[in-house]
Amino acid sequence: YETHLLRRSYREDGKVKNETLANLSYLPAETIQVIRESLAGKHHVVAEDCFEIKRSLPHGHVAAVASMA
């Protein structure tokens, strides 16, 4: 069993103390990774906001069937 805790460290009377802010253990692994990267300073964007599909070409099995026809 793995636990993922969101914690902060601070000093009180010259001693280092930890405070647990949240238990992230119930979240999916992908979400935990995004949170970890965000706290490290990486920026994330939604792909739909940055790209617009102008047209789509057939590929894979669709292209094979189209070329056989």
Side-chain angles (χ1 to χ4, degrees):
Y1 179 74
E2 286 187 20
T3 57
H4 296 279
L5 302 174
L6 179 61
R7 304 183 87 185
R8 79 174 183 107
S9 299
Y10 62 96
R11 289 188 178 268
E12 188 175 290
D13 298 326
K15 294 184 180 180
V16 176
K17 302 243 178 170
N18 293 316
E19 178 183 12
T20 301
L21 301 175
N23 182 355
L24 306 175
S25 301
Y26 64 92
L27 295 174
E30 296 83 15
T31 305
I32 293 172
Q33 185 63 30
V34 168
I35 292 171
R36 182 177 286 129
E37 291 172 356
S38 295
L39 291 172
K42 185 174 181 182
H43 298 285
H44 297 90
V45 296
V46 179
E48 290 88 19
D49 294 344
C50 296
F51 298 100
E52 180 181 342
I53 298 174
K54 297 287 185 180
R55 67 179 183 146
S56 176
L57 299 174
H59 62 280
H61 65 281
V62 175
V65 170
S67 67
M68 293 299 290

